[in-house]
Amino acid sequence: MTDVRKTGTPAPVVVDDPWAELRRHTAARIALGRVGTSLPTAPHLEFQFAHARARAAVHRALDEGALAGALAGLGQPSVALGSRAADRNAYLQRPDAGRRLDEPSRARLEALGTEARGRDVALVIGDGLSAEAVEANAAPLLAALLPLVRERGWSLAPVAIVRQARVAIGDEIGHALAARMVVVAIGERPGLSSPDSLGLYLTLGPRPGLTDEARNCISNVRAAGLAPPRAAAKLAYLMAEAFRRGLSGVGLKDEEEPDGGPSLGEGRNFLTDGD
């Protein structure tokens, strides 16, 4: 910074951070500069906008009809379900209510009949804490995943689209359908640079009462993170290994040859949906 006492020229109000060049490589809020001990106006407003976008992602309702239509276009039937959280406020204040189905949804599963039961995989799509993540990534993910599932000869139950869902609701759905495995795709808790991130959780032998150690997680599924096609390939690999070894969760590790891509979750929950 120029010393005004020596040159007679006032020092700049906004002081750039010498690491500013690093901002090209990350969406993280680094090298923002300063005005005295405060942030400059521009990054302060950007922070407020990102915070508002994250809050909007949490409260936005999922367009279930559009998602069901996208699944039908992939040749996959679906069923609409809801948790015991009656509305968004109840969902946010009572995480336990988001882990169990309401009675009409249980009846709807029963009405599916025997042809929907006993399948290899039950797929569950939950709004979680970001409907934006589901609307942006669920259909592209399934478009990449379904061919891999068919190649391996795995049978599928109708996809469950669940309102006000937490991860563990998949255990009840998988158990009700007598599925060998449940895979839950759910909106993750929005970050200030990632309001559209989807989390994937797989559990072998789903049943109510399981804890996070029984699940494997693939996190940050989105265009700017782990792209849906690569996430689908990794998910299919973990599903195959879970079936082959007869386990999921902390006992199942990702032993696929590394390819230089982002690291993935192995048997960890990452606390992405507030569970």
Side-chain angles (χ1 to χ4, degrees):
M1 185 188 305
T2 304
D3 191 336
V4 67
R5 293 172 299 179
K6 295 181 180 178
T7 66
T9 302
V13 174
V14 177
V15 180
D16 290 332
D17 192 297
W19 289 6
E21 180 66 15
L22 294 177
R23 297 188 65 195
R24 296 190 304 109
H25 305 287
T26 178
R29 283 174 167 73
I30 63 170
L32 299 180
R34 64 181 175 84
V35 178
T37 59
S38 302
L39 283 175
T41 300
H44 176 67
L45 292 177
E46 289 169 0
F47 174 85
Q48 289 185 313
F49 175 74
H51 187 257
R53 188 181 175 192
R55 287 176 61 88
V58 169
H59 290 279
R60 177 179 165 188
L62 176 65
D63 188 340
E64 300 172 42
L67 180 56
L71 295 179
L74 296 172
Q76 193 61 35
S78 61
V79 57
L81 306 174
S83 77
R84 294 181 183 177
D87 54 35
R88 205 58 176 168
N89 284 337
Y91 172 81
L92 294 172
Q93 296 171 17
R94 290 284 307 275
D96 57 311
R99 299 180 186 128
R100 299 301 302 271
L101 289 171
D102 60 20
E103 289 306 316
S105 296
R106 291 186 59 82
R108 203 167 296 128
L109 283 183
E110 289 293 331
L112 290 177
T114 57
E115 66 277 6
R117 289 175 168 70
R119 302 299 181 93
D120 292 316
V121 182
L123 294 175
V124 176
I125 301 176
D127 51 4
L129 286 170
S130 176
E132 180 179 342
V134 175
E135 293 173 354
N137 301 299
L141 173 78
L142 288 184
L145 179 65
L146 291 175
L148 302 177
V149 168
R150 292 169 186 141
E151 283 177 13
R152 290 159 174 79
W154 297 330
S155 57
L156 291 175
V159 177
I161 301 174
V162 192
R163 301 180 307 279
Q164 318 295 9
R166 300 279 177 175
V167 170
I169 204 166
D171 296 333
E172 182 175 4
I173 295 169
H175 186 259
L177 294 173
R180 295 175 62 202
M181 172 186 292
V182 67
V183 174
V184 178
I186 194 166
E188 295 183 341
R189 179 184 293 118
L192 292 179
S193 61
S194 56
D196 59 345
S197 183
L198 194 72
L200 308 177
Y201 296 81
L202 71 90
T203 309
L204 192 68
R207 63 186 185 278
L210 291 177
T211 56
D212 291 341
E213 55 80 27
R215 317 182 219 286
N216 291 82
C217 172
I218 300 173
S219 188
N220 197 33
V221 179
R222 60 190 184 108
L226 185 65
R230 184 167 181 265
K234 180 59 64 177
L235 177 59
Y237 162 78
L238 289 173
M239 292 167 67
E241 287 298 290
F243 281 136
R244 183 176 71 85
R245 302 185 189 192
L247 54 84
S248 64
V250 294
L252 177 63
K253 304 300 181 184
D254 180 2
E255 297 176 353
E256 203 173 27
E257 288 297 320
D259 60 4
S263 60
L264 305 178
E266 304 172 29
R268 296 190 294 267
N269 183 281
F270 290 101
L271 300 180
T272 51
D273 79 322
D275 274 11

